[in-house]
Amino acid sequence: MFKQKDDYIYPQAKRPWLSRKTLLTLAIVLTFMALILGLVYFRQARNEQAAMGNFERALAAQDYAAAMDLYYRVQDQATDQEREPADRGPAQSMQVAMEKKVAELVEASLHRLEAGEPLSPAEKSCIEDLRFLSSMQVIPFLRAKTEDLLDGKLEPSRWESMLLAFSDMENLQNYTQELLGQKDKLLAKISQFVEAGELEQGDKWQLTWSAWDDLSQDFEGSAFAREYASFRLSAFQEREYAHLMTLTGQMMAADQYYTAYNLLTLMHEVFPDRAALAERLEECSKRIPSSMDTWQGDILVLSLRPLIVRSELAFGRSTEAGYARSSLISGQEFLSLLDILYRNDYVLISSRQFEPWPQKRVELKVPSGKKPVLLIFDRWQYSVLNQVSGTASKLSMGEDGQLLAQAGLSQGRDLDAIPLLEDFLTKHPDFAFDGAKALIALNLQENLLGYAVTPDQVEASKEAWKQVGQTYPELTEEEILAQREEVSQVMTYLEDQGWSFASAGYVGYDTGSLSLDDLAAELDQWSQLMTSWLPETPYFVFPNGSHVYNREDSLDRMLERGFRIFFGQGPKPYHFYTRDYAHLDALSLNGYSLSSSDAYLAANLLGGQDILDHGLRDGD
């Protein structure tokens, strides 16, 4: 009994499924099989090495028949569908290696031919006897040269001599004769291909598409030219579609739905089956005015300088109180003006509407029932004069991605016209048409939006602060670089949000009084500094309205610099167009103009309403 109980508590170990002898036998068998497979693999590898060696030796000995025989054997093994893919792999690798060897051999001959040297008898024999292996290199070469011919990159005589070099070779005769047979039709198309290529380098994507489409549909001409045009059309469509979708996405992000809608409508004609395009088109159609008018009347342009946001400096003990009182307005006065414009059916338009001039007639579009107004933030520099008069000192990006202004120790969105206008548009999005903001006309002598980004600006700032009895800090190269990085964030934000920029000169001298050399220096300094952030702009705002129209050489210099939309100053709306440029006069918004009872602003725009904060200005 106890024996049974013990057996129950401590059961005997089970016997193994396989005996030790069986396991030993199995190990021997597996080892033997591995040796056999290894020998087979080793033999196969040796055979492959031998075949490749024989192939290379045959090429070196110019025994091309033997080389091709070896290639065909390897090709048969590589394409034998009765063999397992793994068994075909080594042969496929060897086939590729053989083709690469022939490519290197033939390419050397093609480079010599391209350099103007004739093929030697040995080279001709090599290319002809290697048959389709050499054709795999020569045909793409001749195809590329024929494309160069159509693109105007290769002289017809050079193209023809290259084809004739292969025309008597059995493996290339049909291809070369076919191209030579199209010679006259190819030559007749060169000018059209060159013109289409030049269009493609510009931004006239519709004309480019039309040019390639016409060439691809020319069934009376060369078959090669038609095929090549179809390839160029397809490549252009895909590249331009991606570019235009990125562009329309940026427009929509900046609330430029009307511009995006027009571009998407044109794109839809070319890409009718693109779902993403159709979705964007539908989204834009929901966000644009139901009806539009082409404005035929006067164009109201208003300009103002940086806002007073520290009244204790502007109207207190400041030595510049006269400048602040006459030349600037406060943040609250600016908001009062915006409210009056909004309630009187004005709609903010963008300077972008004038950019087509003079290449294209300007048709100023506004929502039906609205009147256009264009804002210019003039001579926008947080200079020492402005800062001691109570303006902001710089713009910066907050951690939440919002634009902030700084004035003294305070920071916020109510301290500058740029974020103030953004917030007003957030509350009244219908006040802006097509994502319009203001045109920011920059002076740069002391800073760029509050940042000294060059040693010259640092020195100018030091001198300006010294004049008011204060010290501007010395900046190291690293600190200047840090300033550049900060202002780059601000500039990127503003451009992404649809703000436009104009030049108001580097210092802001009265343009009309400058000599030609001084004007050139003023323009060049501005452009050289801004090239990192703004490659070019067509807008120039004449400081104090001092234009150059009575001096042809100065005007020509400005046109040469790419400026073609000019803004001056005047007592009422006025604009005109010439064959070279457009001009619009702006009404200055400042303490002086807004206090003149007989001014156009008071009589026509404000309707007798007073936006000036007299309590603030009188020190109450």
mmCIF file with all atom_site columns, all heavy atoms in Angstrom, residues 19 44 193 202 222 331 370 478 489 524 534:
data_model
loop_
_atom_site.group_PDB
_atom_site.id
_atom_site.type_symbol
_atom_site.label_atom_id
_atom_site.label_alt_id
_atom_site.label_comp_id
_atom_site.label_asym_id
_atom_site.label_entity_id
_atom_site.label_seq_id
_atom_site.pdbx_PDB_ins_code
_atom_site.Cartn_x
_atom_site.Cartn_y
_atom_site.Cartn_z
_atom_site.occupancy
_atom_site.B_iso_or_equiv
_atom_site.pdbx_formal_charge
_atom_site.auth_seq_id
_atom_site.auth_comp_id
_atom_site.auth_asym_id
_atom_site.auth_atom_id
_atom_site.pdbx_PDB_model_num
ATOM 1  N N   . SER A 1 19  ? 14.625  7.817   -28.484 1.00 0.00 ? 19  SER A N   1
ATOM 2  C CA  . SER A 1 19  ? 15.737  7.279   -27.698 1.00 0.00 ? 19  SER A CA  1
ATOM 3  C C   . SER A 1 19  ? 17.004  8.043   -28.011 1.00 0.00 ? 19  SER A C   1
ATOM 4  O O   . SER A 1 19  ? 17.083  8.759   -29.009 1.00 0.00 ? 19  SER A O   1
ATOM 5  C CB  . SER A 1 19  ? 15.941  5.790   -28.011 1.00 0.00 ? 19  SER A CB  1
ATOM 6  O OG  . SER A 1 19  ? 16.367  5.641   -29.363 1.00 0.00 ? 19  SER A OG  1
ATOM 7  N N   . GLN A 1 44  ? 27.844  25.411  -57.024 1.00 0.00 ? 44  GLN A N   1
ATOM 8  C CA  . GLN A 1 44  ? 27.079  26.374  -57.802 1.00 0.00 ? 44  GLN A CA  1
ATOM 9  C C   . GLN A 1 44  ? 27.780  27.727  -57.815 1.00 0.00 ? 44  GLN A C   1
ATOM 10 O O   . GLN A 1 44  ? 27.860  28.390  -58.853 1.00 0.00 ? 44  GLN A O   1
ATOM 11 C CB  . GLN A 1 44  ? 25.678  26.520  -57.207 1.00 0.00 ? 44  GLN A CB  1
ATOM 12 C CG  . GLN A 1 44  ? 24.746  27.397  -58.035 1.00 0.00 ? 44  GLN A CG  1
ATOM 13 C CD  . GLN A 1 44  ? 23.358  27.447  -57.432 1.00 0.00 ? 44  GLN A CD  1
ATOM 14 O OE1 . GLN A 1 44  ? 23.159  27.006  -56.319 1.00 0.00 ? 44  GLN A OE1 1
ATOM 15 N NE2 . GLN A 1 44  ? 22.405  27.974  -58.181 1.00 0.00 ? 44  GLN A NE2 1
ATOM 16 N N   . PHE A 1 193 ? 8.736   73.142  -79.437 1.00 0.00 ? 193 PHE A N   1
ATOM 17 C CA  . PHE A 1 193 ? 9.218   72.499  -78.210 1.00 0.00 ? 193 PHE A CA  1
ATOM 18 C C   . PHE A 1 193 ? 10.022  73.478  -77.371 1.00 0.00 ? 193 PHE A C   1
ATOM 19 O O   . PHE A 1 193 ? 9.896   73.507  -76.138 1.00 0.00 ? 193 PHE A O   1
ATOM 20 C CB  . PHE A 1 193 ? 10.062  71.262  -78.543 1.00 0.00 ? 193 PHE A CB  1
ATOM 21 C CG  . PHE A 1 193 ? 9.260   70.004  -78.692 1.00 0.00 ? 193 PHE A CG  1
ATOM 22 C CD1 . PHE A 1 193 ? 8.595   69.730  -79.874 1.00 0.00 ? 193 PHE A CD1 1
ATOM 23 C CD2 . PHE A 1 193 ? 9.159   69.099  -77.652 1.00 0.00 ? 193 PHE A CD2 1
ATOM 24 C CE1 . PHE A 1 193 ? 7.842   68.573  -80.020 1.00 0.00 ? 193 PHE A CE1 1
ATOM 25 C CE2 . PHE A 1 193 ? 8.406   67.945  -77.779 1.00 0.00 ? 193 PHE A CE2 1
ATOM 26 C CZ  . PHE A 1 193 ? 7.743   67.677  -78.965 1.00 0.00 ? 193 PHE A CZ  1
ATOM 27 N N   . GLY A 1 202 ? 8.538   79.479  -66.591 1.00 0.00 ? 202 GLY A N   1
ATOM 28 C CA  . GLY A 1 202 ? 7.862   80.601  -65.956 1.00 0.00 ? 202 GLY A CA  1
ATOM 29 C C   . GLY A 1 202 ? 6.697   80.118  -65.128 1.00 0.00 ? 202 GLY A C   1
ATOM 30 O O   . GLY A 1 202 ? 6.632   78.968  -64.704 1.00 0.00 ? 202 GLY A O   1
ATOM 31 N N   . SER A 1 222 ? 5.595   64.237  -86.306 1.00 0.00 ? 222 SER A N   1
ATOM 32 C CA  . SER A 1 222 ? 6.468   63.115  -85.959 1.00 0.00 ? 222 SER A CA  1
ATOM 33 C C   . SER A 1 222 ? 5.867   62.296  -84.815 1.00 0.00 ? 222 SER A C   1
ATOM 34 O O   . SER A 1 222 ? 5.416   62.845  -83.810 1.00 0.00 ? 222 SER A O   1
ATOM 35 C CB  . SER A 1 222 ? 7.840   63.659  -85.552 1.00 0.00 ? 222 SER A CB  1
ATOM 36 O OG  . SER A 1 222 ? 8.550   62.727  -84.771 1.00 0.00 ? 222 SER A OG  1
ATOM 37 N N   . GLY A 1 331 ? -4.076  103.292 -30.336 1.00 0.00 ? 331 GLY A N   1
ATOM 38 C CA  . GLY A 1 331 ? -4.694  102.011 -30.641 1.00 0.00 ? 331 GLY A CA  1
ATOM 39 C C   . GLY A 1 331 ? -6.210  102.092 -30.621 1.00 0.00 ? 331 GLY A C   1
ATOM 40 O O   . GLY A 1 331 ? -6.894  101.531 -31.481 1.00 0.00 ? 331 GLY A O   1
ATOM 41 N N   . LYS A 1 370 ? -20.316 96.538  -51.482 1.00 0.00 ? 370 LYS A N   1
ATOM 42 C CA  . LYS A 1 370 ? -19.201 96.988  -50.646 1.00 0.00 ? 370 LYS A CA  1
ATOM 43 C C   . LYS A 1 370 ? -18.343 98.004  -51.398 1.00 0.00 ? 370 LYS A C   1
ATOM 44 O O   . LYS A 1 370 ? -18.310 98.050  -52.635 1.00 0.00 ? 370 LYS A O   1
ATOM 45 C CB  . LYS A 1 370 ? -18.334 95.807  -50.222 1.00 0.00 ? 370 LYS A CB  1
ATOM 46 C CG  . LYS A 1 370 ? -19.047 94.786  -49.348 1.00 0.00 ? 370 LYS A CG  1
ATOM 47 C CD  . LYS A 1 370 ? -19.390 95.349  -47.985 1.00 0.00 ? 370 LYS A CD  1
ATOM 48 C CE  . LYS A 1 370 ? -19.996 94.297  -47.083 1.00 0.00 ? 370 LYS A CE  1
ATOM 49 N NZ  . LYS A 1 370 ? -20.293 94.820  -45.723 1.00 0.00 ? 370 LYS A NZ  1
ATOM 50 N N   . GLU A 1 478 ? 26.729  86.607  -32.191 1.00 0.00 ? 478 GLU A N   1
ATOM 51 C CA  . GLU A 1 478 ? 25.767  85.571  -31.807 1.00 0.00 ? 478 GLU A CA  1
ATOM 52 C C   . GLU A 1 478 ? 24.414  86.180  -31.456 1.00 0.00 ? 478 GLU A C   1
ATOM 53 O O   . GLU A 1 478 ? 23.359  85.631  -31.796 1.00 0.00 ? 478 GLU A O   1
ATOM 54 C CB  . GLU A 1 478 ? 26.296  84.768  -30.618 1.00 0.00 ? 478 GLU A CB  1
ATOM 55 C CG  . GLU A 1 478 ? 27.493  83.878  -30.928 1.00 0.00 ? 478 GLU A CG  1
ATOM 56 C CD  . GLU A 1 478 ? 28.792  84.654  -31.054 1.00 0.00 ? 478 GLU A CD  1
ATOM 57 O OE1 . GLU A 1 478 ? 28.806  85.852  -30.658 1.00 0.00 ? 478 GLU A OE1 1
ATOM 58 O OE2 . GLU A 1 478 ? 29.787  84.083  -31.546 1.00 0.00 ? 478 GLU A OE2 1
ATOM 59 N N   . GLN A 1 489 ? 10.982  84.260  -37.667 1.00 0.00 ? 489 GLN A N   1
ATOM 60 C CA  . GLN A 1 489 ? 9.727   83.637  -37.250 1.00 0.00 ? 489 GLN A CA  1
ATOM 61 C C   . GLN A 1 489 ? 8.554   84.596  -37.458 1.00 0.00 ? 489 GLN A C   1
ATOM 62 O O   . GLN A 1 489 ? 7.480   84.202  -37.911 1.00 0.00 ? 489 GLN A O   1
ATOM 63 C CB  . GLN A 1 489 ? 9.812   83.221  -35.782 1.00 0.00 ? 489 GLN A CB  1
ATOM 64 C CG  . GLN A 1 489 ? 10.856  82.152  -35.489 1.00 0.00 ? 489 GLN A CG  1
ATOM 65 C CD  . GLN A 1 489 ? 10.941  81.839  -34.003 1.00 0.00 ? 489 GLN A CD  1
ATOM 66 O OE1 . GLN A 1 489 ? 9.997   82.063  -33.252 1.00 0.00 ? 489 GLN A OE1 1
ATOM 67 N NE2 . GLN A 1 489 ? 12.071  81.325  -33.574 1.00 0.00 ? 489 GLN A NE2 1
ATOM 68 N N   . ASP A 1 524 ? 19.158  100.067 -52.834 1.00 0.00 ? 524 ASP A N   1
ATOM 69 C CA  . ASP A 1 524 ? 20.027  98.892  -52.725 1.00 0.00 ? 524 ASP A CA  1
ATOM 70 C C   . ASP A 1 524 ? 20.177  98.431  -51.282 1.00 0.00 ? 524 ASP A C   1
ATOM 71 O O   . ASP A 1 524 ? 20.155  97.228  -51.000 1.00 0.00 ? 524 ASP A O   1
ATOM 72 C CB  . ASP A 1 524 ? 21.401  99.190  -53.324 1.00 0.00 ? 524 ASP A CB  1
ATOM 73 C CG  . ASP A 1 524 ? 21.356  99.317  -54.844 1.00 0.00 ? 524 ASP A CG  1
ATOM 74 O OD1 . ASP A 1 524 ? 20.349  98.876  -55.431 1.00 0.00 ? 524 ASP A OD1 1
ATOM 75 O OD2 . ASP A 1 524 ? 22.306  99.868  -55.422 1.00 0.00 ? 524 ASP A OD2 1
ATOM 76 N N   . LEU A 1 534 ? 12.547  88.684  -47.932 1.00 0.00 ? 534 LEU A N   1
ATOM 77 C CA  . LEU A 1 534 ? 11.624  89.120  -48.975 1.00 0.00 ? 534 LEU A CA  1
ATOM 78 C C   . LEU A 1 534 ? 12.423  89.332  -50.261 1.00 0.00 ? 534 LEU A C   1
ATOM 79 O O   . LEU A 1 534 ? 12.949  90.419  -50.494 1.00 0.00 ? 534 LEU A O   1
ATOM 80 C CB  . LEU A 1 534 ? 10.954  90.432  -48.544 1.00 0.00 ? 534 LEU A CB  1
ATOM 81 C CG  . LEU A 1 534 ? 9.745   90.895  -49.330 1.00 0.00 ? 534 LEU A CG  1
ATOM 82 C CD1 . LEU A 1 534 ? 8.560   89.974  -49.085 1.00 0.00 ? 534 LEU A CD1 1
ATOM 83 C CD2 . LEU A 1 534 ? 9.375   92.331  -48.935 1.00 0.00 ? 534 LEU A CD2 1
#
